[in-house]
Amino acid sequence: MSGWQTIDGPALFELEVKRSRHLARAVPVSDPEAALAFVATHADPSAHHNCWAYRIGSSYRFSDDGEPAGTAGRPILAAIEGQDVDQVAVLVTRWFGGIKLGAGGLARAYGGAAAECLRLAPRRALVVWCEATLEAGFEFAGTLHALLDPFGARKIEETFLPDGLRLHVRLPAGELDRLQSAMADASRGQARLTVHPGPGDGMGTP
């Protein structure tokens, strides 16, 4: 994915195809539990089908909810991917109008409603996060702490060493080089920054 975007709040779009009504709802979600809760809350029991999909990073899931396999959930997921958004759940509720659409027609209706709903929704950027360790002597302790906020770094843990301190922080990956440069300037090259992978790595909103 190149965009690293999600939608900025709930979105709604309605499409009618051969008298069948398709109501698409999309929301930003941070985890699968939130996506499933959204579906459970907004699925309409009076409708013939409530089909949905979500994508959150490498995690995704979809449901045809009784429609022929591959004609609803997967086209909705394809719409999410085609709109280049992440951390999104889409529910398309269908009320059958009496005229069968066929497999191709169903896929176009579900996928089209989802895609247009997402296309019309405002976007916001997703931030790629990483974790790093900052180390410096005690004389630069105040300097390290002062550099956190300007670069969006959040302190996870602080450890005192025999000759200084170590800060474990989480920050936007795009700020790493700037933070490292600022640390070097402020400490005359004595502070160290080490990037390391961890369970906190991933994407989120600013």
Side-chain angles (χ1 to χ4, degrees):
M1 178 176 295
S2 60
W4 306 118
Q5 292 183 324
T6 189
I7 61 174
D8 191 19
L12 193 69
F13 177 76
E14 187 168 334
L15 173 70
E16 185 173 316
V17 180
K18 294 184 179 179
R19 297 192 299 195
S20 286
R21 179 184 170 209
H22 302 77
L23 179 63
R25 300 176 186 268
V27 294
V29 290
S30 57
D31 53 56
E33 291 75 19
L36 296 177
F38 158 71
V39 171
T41 299
H42 293 283
D44 189 333
S46 72
H48 293 86
H49 303 279
N50 290 279
C51 305
W52 53 268
Y54 70 75
R55 176 172 285 283
I56 304 164
S58 60
S59 175
Y60 66 89
R61 188 174 166 187
F62 56 86
S63 169
D64 293 315
D65 191 35
E67 294 283 28
T71 63
R74 187 168 288 281
I76 296 171
L77 178 63
I80 294 173
E81 295 170 340
Q83 288 295 313
D84 202 24
V85 289
D86 193 17
Q87 297 190 7
V88 168
V90 179
L91 168 68
V92 181
T93 300
R94 180 179 185 236
W95 290 267
F96 180 51
I99 301 175
K100 292 185 177 181
L101 303 183
L106 286 171
R108 287 189 293 273
Y110 280 104
E116 190 65 8
C117 183
L118 293 169
R119 188 186 70 80
L120 295 173
R123 308 285 181 93
R124 69 169 180 252
L126 285 169
V127 176
V128 180
W129 294 89
C130 67
E131 293 186 7
T133 297
L134 318 181
E135 293 186 20
F138 286 119
E139 66 270 30
F140 299 113
T143 299
L144 284 191
H145 283 95
L147 287 173
L148 298 184
D149 282 348
F151 297 98
R154 303 173 184 175
K155 184 171 68 175
I156 298 173
E157 184 180 15
E158 182 171 356
T159 304
F160 291 99
L161 307 172
D163 57 350
L165 79 162
R166 176 189 299 129
L167 300 181
H168 180 192
V169 302
R170 186 170 186 258
L171 74 159
E175 296 286 4
L176 276 170
D177 289 344
R178 294 179 62 237
L179 174 58
Q180 189 164 27
S181 177
M183 284 175 55
D185 291 344
S187 68
R188 300 186 295 278
Q190 296 184 52
R192 298 185 302 278
L193 182 152
T194 304
V195 182
H196 55 87
D201 291 1
M203 291 189 299
T205 52

